[in-house]
Amino acid sequence: TLEDVLTTLPFANTVARITLRGGDILDALENGVSRLPQPSGRFPQTAGLRFSVDAARPAGQRVLSAEVEEAPGEWRPLDPARAY
């Protein structure tokens, strides 16, 4: 119900839904880990997405793999050309 939503999310924030290509998601992940191992507050917070990183690699080449959860427990590689 609306009351439940307002109880759970009591702030006047706007919820937005966007469609991104997998390549754009990979770019965002790369940006989010570009300053590792230094703490910078820009580490990506994700849900339904898991990825592995090698912080020793150069910025822009740190994301080694990314997977999307298509169904509970069913992970598929992120497709750079697909819209998510």
Side-chain angles (χ1 to χ4, degrees):
T1 68
L2 179 57
E3 181 179 357
D4 291 333
V5 171
L6 293 175
T7 299
T8 304
L9 306 167
F11 307 105
N13 296 341
T14 301
V15 176
R17 180 178 175 181
I18 62 172
T19 300
L20 291 173
R21 295 268 175 216
D24 295 326
I25 295 170
L26 288 170
D27 288 345
L29 293 173
E30 284 288 354
N31 179 273
V33 299
S34 65
R35 294 194 181 165
L36 288 177
Q38 302 300 322
S40 66
R42 65 190 319 188
F43 193 81
Q45 303 295 308
T46 65
L49 177 70
R50 65 184 182 187
F51 61 101
S52 61
V53 172
D54 182 349
R57 294 180 69 153
Q61 299 175 21
R62 294 181 173 179
V63 176
L64 303 177
S65 67
E67 297 177 308
V68 177
E69 190 173 26
E70 297 282 333
E74 184 180 317
W75 295 91
R76 304 238 189 249
L78 185 72
D79 180 350
R82 181 176 167 195
Y84 292 92

